[in-house]
Amino acid sequence: MDNVVLYSKLANLPEHMRLEVSNFIDLLLSQAKKNRKNNSTSTPKFGSAKGMFIMKEGFNEPLADFKDYMTNE
């Protein structure tokens, strides 16, 4: 919608209705501000997951379930 058309519609409203429109615009702006905050993604910092995962001993060892598929060299 063109701003001029919007302004002319607003100018034709009675004063008490213009106040309601102003309040509604303020509400919409505050909701848009909240949505921007919720949609912004933060970048994880290097090392922030340290200590969350523990590798068990033998992690790199071959699995017994795949013994039949492994070549004997």
Side-chain angles (χ1 to χ4, degrees):
M1 179 179 282
D2 189 23
N3 288 339
V4 175
V5 174
L6 187 59
Y7 181 74
S8 65
K9 287 182 178 184
L10 184 62
N12 289 329
L13 289 175
E15 182 63 31
H16 70 281
M17 289 183 147
R18 277 188 252 164
L19 181 60
E20 284 187 49
V21 171
S22 176
N23 291 338
F24 183 66
I25 290 172
D26 291 339
L27 174 71
L28 291 176
L29 289 173
S30 68
Q31 287 177 350
K33 188 176 181 180
K34 285 180 188 177
N35 286 340
R36 270 187 256 129
K37 285 182 182 178
N38 292 339
N39 290 339
S40 66
T41 57
S42 61
T43 305
K45 300 207 187 300
F46 181 76
S48 61
K50 185 176 182 177
M52 292 180 71
F53 304 99
I54 299 172
M55 303 299 285
K56 294 192 177 195
E57 287 194 33
F59 174 78
N60 288 327
E61 299 298 319
L63 297 173
D65 294 344
F66 294 108
K67 185 189 250 183
D68 297 336
Y69 302 103
M70 297 176 67
T71 60
N72 294 330
E73 292 181 16

